[in-house]
Amino acid sequence: MAHLLFLGSGSAFTVGGDNFHSNMFLITETGKKLLIDCGSDLRFSLYKEGFSHRDITDIYISHLHSDHAGGLEYVGLTTKFDPQCDQPNLYLSYEIATEIWEHTLSGGMGSVEGEITNLESFFNVHSIDNNRHFVWETINFELVKTIHINNGTYVMPSYGLFFSVNNQKIFITSDTQLCYEKLQKYYQEADIIFHDCEISKYPTPVHSHYQQLVKLPDNIKQKIWLYGYQPRELPNAKADGFLGFVKRGDQFLIN
Ligand SMILES: [Zn+2]
């Protein structure tokens, strides 16, 4: 048994209202917590749910946008200088393990008083190789490569997660364009899908828009919870055949 707790369910540029970046805790029966993505809103979303940096022991990062990785400076520095904290474990694809330091974090974290630092100065780094699996607390996670942003030369690395707890199979897409054909196996196999969902008036090409998702087969829609949306009036997802929109603070039992 485990719980998935959404610290936020909003999009990258969510402002105002009562929502934060779409970061979540997977919490085991024994209370161990895996933070799935660590955006720059994290210090607010954590406290809103009664947690602090001391609750962060294990982190998975899907990709390098700041709503998914921008909170690592806060976590890395606060845990390093808090004697009550062990160094957190950081799980991420090898494709972003170097980049996250060299192009995202080193500017702010590369020097602390009396020390030149690297990623391992703050985190126990678990770089996930091409077999795209890691095990945390006996749960086997498969990294699912999505198409989030194609810059014309290559597809920026971004990975959702597929895992099961007891007999229930969960697919968390993280940020993705709708790739239903390409990833159909995961859509079919999953019992519950937590799906990136943009609802903006002016759709971007890099997220799955509600108007696309609504065209998915009924048997797929009835497994989907939607998250990652903009702060505006929500469509009636239940009437359209989905499970609904995830709200900040929602908790899902997985067993
Ligand atoms: Zn993104």
Side-chain angles (χ1 to χ4, degrees):
M1 194 185 85
H3 284 92
L4 189 66
L5 166 65
F6 279 76
L7 298 170
S9 59
S11 63
F13 307 127
T14 291
V15 176
D18 189 33
N19 210 351
F20 297 112
H21 291 151
S22 290
N23 303 158
M24 51 205 97
F25 265 139
L26 181 65
I27 307 173
T28 68
E29 234 169 340
T30 58
K32 292 282 285 180
K33 294 187 274 303
L34 176 67
L35 179 68
I36 300 175
D37 281 331
C38 180
S40 48
D41 281 357
L42 185 83
R43 67 194 197 282
F44 303 111
S45 60
L46 265 185
Y47 277 86
K48 189 92 176 179
E49 285 299 317
F51 298 110
S52 76
H53 66 276
R54 289 185 177 168
D55 291 287
I56 300 180
T57 54
D58 299 87
I59 307 164
Y60 169 73
I61 298 294
S62 63
H63 68 291
L64 295 183
H65 281 144
S66 68
D67 52 324
H68 296 263
L72 286 172
E73 181 171 329
Y74 154 68
V75 173
L77 286 165
T78 50
T79 53
K80 185 174 174 69
F81 294 107
D82 184 337
Q84 292 202 31
C85 292
D86 292 326
Q87 196 160 288
N89 291 303
L90 179 64
Y91 299 87
L92 73 181
S93 163
Y94 77 97
E95 287 183 271
I96 58 172
T98 304
E99 187 129 335
I100 201 170
W101 182 253
E102 291 183 357
H103 295 135
T104 302
L105 299 175
S106 64
M109 300 176 78
S111 296
V112 298
E113 187 63 26
E115 187 183 348
I116 294 171
T117 51
N118 56 36
L119 192 59
E120 287 77 14
S121 309
F122 300 94
F123 304 103
N124 298 321
V125 181
H126 301 261
S127 174
I128 301 157
D129 66 19
N130 245 336
N131 79 20
R132 297 182 185 168
H133 283 272
F134 72 97
V135 177
W136 173 80
E137 293 295 308
T138 74
I139 303 171
N140 187 14
F141 292 86
E142 179 179 350
L143 275 62
V144 179
K145 190 164 199 171
T146 65
I147 297 174
H148 181 20
I149 296 183
N150 184 340
N151 59 26
T153 304
Y154 62 90
V155 175
M156 171 188 176
S158 185
Y159 290 93
L161 287 176
F162 187 89
F163 61 97
S164 50
V165 175
N166 298 341
N167 290 319
Q168 205 161 30
K169 296 188 180 71
I170 308 296
F171 178 28
I172 301 172
T173 63
S174 190
D175 286 5
T176 185
Q177 299 177 27
L178 183 57
C179 319
Y180 177 63
E181 302 297 326
K182 180 176 178 279
L183 302 177
Q184 205 171 135
K185 160 174 123 84
Y186 300 98
Y187 285 86
Q188 300 290 351
E189 272 185 38
D191 297 304
I192 305 178
I193 300 165
F194 295 95
H195 209 297
D196 184 23
C197 176
E198 181 176 279
I199 57 167
S200 63
K201 205 168 165 185
Y202 307 105
T204 70
V206 300
H207 293 281
S208 312
H209 197 279
Y210 188 83
Q211 295 308 333
Q212 301 172 296
L213 290 163
V214 86
K215 293 178 190 147
L216 286 171
D218 289 345
N219 68 323
I220 300 296
K221 282 196 290 185
Q222 67 193 18
K223 304 194 278 189
I224 293 182
W225 283 102
L226 303 161
Y227 74 95
Y229 50 87
Q230 285 71 28
R232 63 190 299 243
E233 198 182 332
L234 298 175
N236 189 342
K238 280 189 182 149
D240 285 332
F242 298 102
L243 289 170
F245 279 95
V246 178
K247 306 283 190 307
R248 182 195 63 74
D250 278 355
Q251 209 171 151
F252 298 85
L253 176 67
I254 306 170
N255 67 2

